[in-house]
Amino acid sequence: MPILLVVGGVTFVYSTLEAMLAPALPLIRAGVGGTPSSIAWVFTGLLLSGAVCTPLIGRLGDLHDKKKLFLAVLSIVTLGTALAGLATNVPVLAVGQMMQGAGLGLTPLSIGLMREALPEDRVKNGNAMIIGTSSLGVLAGPLLAGPLTSVLSYRWLFWLPFFLLVALIGLAFAVLPESPATAFVTPRGRVDWLGAGLLGGGLLTLLLGLTFAPTWGWASGGFLATALGAAVLLTAFVVTQRRLASPLIDLRERGRTVFVVCAVSFAVGWAVFATYTALPTITSAPATTGYGLALDTTVTGWILVPSGVLAGLSAFAVRPLERLVGTKALMVGSCVPILAAPGVLLLDRPSLGLLITSSALMGLGIGLGLTQAMNIVVTSVPASRAASLTGLMFVVRAVGGSLGAQIGGSTLAGDVIPSTTFPTWSAFTTMLTVSAVVGLFAVLVAAALPRGSAAVPELAEVRASV
């Protein structure tokens, strides 16, 4: 199906682009004359803009022709990629990355396009493809970055995806369907700019606080002020969304179901980033620490391969598994690997086998958990709300990932072996236990998934929405 080819291609190229940058960060820093702190905006800028833009893009996709919006967002990402490739200083690079951050909104748009154009079974296959190709892109990025930068300038990490994105824009223009007229039978409503401002401001404040918390200190006035500001803004957002006739994100629409999938997304984000913070630290630490394996970066990269492979493969197993065990049972079961991935590292001092097992479990949780969460959203809410609610799910995942990475990193940095820079095993135990508790939270919340949450809305309900 052409629409699946476009969606899968865009997802893979975008994921690979961002995943290639981390291994090449020293080369990029030298190329733009950045410092270790300033170059962090390569990722911070992308995350911040993505968190702010994704809900807004999702709601615009609910109200307008998704094809035109998809092409507009993809064009912004492509221009941002070119700008980053041309950058000779950190500010220009950061702007290019922030433009690329809008690409996080392509996922809810893709789901909305598929929901309008494809039958339910094809939509579920498309959801699996999005998670699968995204996971394979995350895996391919680090594996490609080394060989590519060994023969070409680091700028080709941007230029090769740029050329592929240009080709995908042409393909998308040719094959993507326009939103059918029946999608807008009733008045389209409006964009809730107040809600967009409250949500964007709250997320921006929260993520800035999390970004700088390791430098400021978790008990510092700066972090506490940003945390309080974020709490006030996000609380105001929730209150307004429940009162407006045409909110940015309709929290009244299957609210319990949406809460469950967002909780699972949060847990996946937290556990993934926390575990991925722990694994490279353990593998690179010397044996004198009592837990380190003294492995080089190449071996560390291969330890993470099972995660990407299993995430990609397990995503396509969701549909047959759902038919076999049911929607709710699969949602609960998909959260178990999220709990087990950090949990197995607590069983004994690390070994290569335990690390590979943890990596594989994490991939299984990503593939099953996120795909099933997406399936539940797109089959339990009206088509006119699928894009915005899916966007919310991915924003919550990004927030969970930021919390997992920053709190996990601070936990490791706060308890080091005397006269070294390496964390104690006690610090790892604390970090992994917290991650396992987050995974347990996801299991318990998934068990509260209401029955019938995957029922497809009737056409009348779809038409009466917005």
Side-chain angles (χ1 to χ4, degrees):
M1 191 82 178
I3 186 174
L4 297 182
L5 178 62
V6 172
V7 168
V10 169
T11 302
F12 180 78
V13 172
Y14 185 79
S15 300
T16 304
L17 164 63
E18 303 310 331
M20 285 194 297
L21 301 185
L25 208 55
L27 294 175
I28 297 173
R29 185 177 69 203
V32 297
T35 63
S37 59
S38 66
I39 203 65
W41 281 93
V42 169
F43 301 109
T44 302
L46 183 141
L47 179 62
L48 291 176
S49 67
V52 173
C53 291
T54 299
L56 183 58
I57 291 172
R59 181 55 180 153
L60 289 170
D62 288 337
L63 298 175
H64 301 288
D65 187 342
K66 294 177 180 62
K67 175 179 179 177
K68 293 177 182 177
L69 190 58
F70 187 92
L71 290 170
V73 174
L74 188 57
S75 297
I76 291 172
V77 173
T78 304
L79 290 175
T81 304
L83 186 62
L86 292 169
T88 57
N89 55 62
V90 172
V92 174
L93 177 64
V95 171
Q97 287 296 104
M98 293 179 75
M99 292 174 67
Q100 291 174 53
L104 295 176
L106 290 170
T107 297
L109 283 179
S110 297
I111 293 169
L113 280 164
M114 293 188 298
R115 178 73 188 274
E116 288 180 353
L118 304 176
E120 179 188 342
D121 288 348
R122 289 286 187 91
V123 173
K124 291 185 176 181
N125 288 338
N127 291 342
M129 186 187 61
I130 287 174
I131 297 300
T133 53
S134 175
S135 300
L136 292 176
V138 170
L139 171 64
L143 298 179
L144 291 173
L148 188 60
T149 54
S150 67
V151 296
L152 296 170
S153 164
Y154 79 86
R155 296 183 186 277
W156 282 94
L157 298 178
F158 298 102
W159 287 119
L160 286 180
F162 169 79
F163 293 126
L164 291 173
L165 289 171
V166 169
L168 284 167
I169 289 174
L171 182 61
F173 181 81
V175 305
L176 288 184
E178 295 183 355
S179 295
T182 53
F184 308 117
V185 171
T186 58
R188 296 185 179 186
R190 60 182 181 82
V191 176
D192 172 23
W193 294 107
L194 173 62
L198 291 172
L199 179 60
L203 290 173
L204 183 64
T205 305
L206 175 62
L207 291 174
L208 282 173
L210 292 175
T211 299
F212 293 108
T215 302
W216 294 343
W218 291 95
S220 66
F223 174 72
L224 295 177
T226 56
L228 178 61
V232 170
L233 290 170
L234 294 176
T235 300
F237 168 75
V238 172
V239 171
T240 59
Q241 297 306 286
R242 299 187 71 85
R243 293 181 177 179
L244 293 176
S246 183
L248 181 70
I249 298 173
D250 195 345
L251 300 177
R252 299 160 298 191
E253 186 68 59
R254 296 293 182 106
R256 187 173 163 192
T257 299
V258 172
F259 174 76
V260 169
V261 298
C262 284
V264 171
S265 299
F266 178 88
V268 168
W270 181 301
V272 165
F273 281 86
T275 304
Y276 284 2
T277 299
L279 290 182
T281 308
I282 292 171
T283 58
S284 62
T288 54
T289 60
Y291 60 80
L293 301 183
L295 300 175
D296 61 26
T297 304
T298 301
V299 177
T300 298
W302 282 104
I303 288 174
L304 298 178
V305 166
S307 178
V309 171
L310 273 178
L313 295 178
S314 63
F316 291 96
V318 167
R319 184 181 165 199
L321 285 173
E322 185 180 29
R323 288 199 298 262
L324 182 65
V325 304
T327 300
K328 182 174 179 177
L330 180 57
M331 188 76 267
V332 174
S334 68
C335 295
V336 173
I338 301 171
L339 162 63
V344 296
L345 296 178
L346 296 170
L347 297 176
D348 199 358
R349 289 301 171 98
S351 65
L352 194 58
L354 274 180
L355 294 177
I356 292 174
T357 300
S358 178
S359 172
L361 286 168
M362 186 56 61
L364 194 62
I366 294 170
L368 294 178
L370 286 184
T371 304
Q372 180 64 355
M374 289 167 60
N375 286 347
I376 290 173
V377 168
V378 300
T379 57
S380 64
V381 302
S384 56
R385 283 289 176 178
S388 57
L389 288 173
T390 306
L392 175 65
M393 190 183 90
F394 279 88
V395 169
V396 170
R397 181 195 178 196
V399 172
S402 295
L403 278 168
Q406 297 294 359
I407 293 178
S410 293
T411 301
L412 297 182
D415 185 9
V416 298
I417 299 172
S419 303
T420 75
T421 59
F422 297 102
T424 65
W425 183 244
S426 175
F428 278 107
T429 299
T430 300
M431 174 190 181
L432 294 169
T433 299
V434 171
S435 296
V437 169
V438 172
L440 178 61
F441 166 76
V443 173
L444 296 176
V445 171
L449 187 71
R451 292 185 179 182
S453 56
V456 180
E458 298 294 332
L459 181 60
E461 180 187 359
V462 174
R463 292 181 175 179
S465 59
V466 184

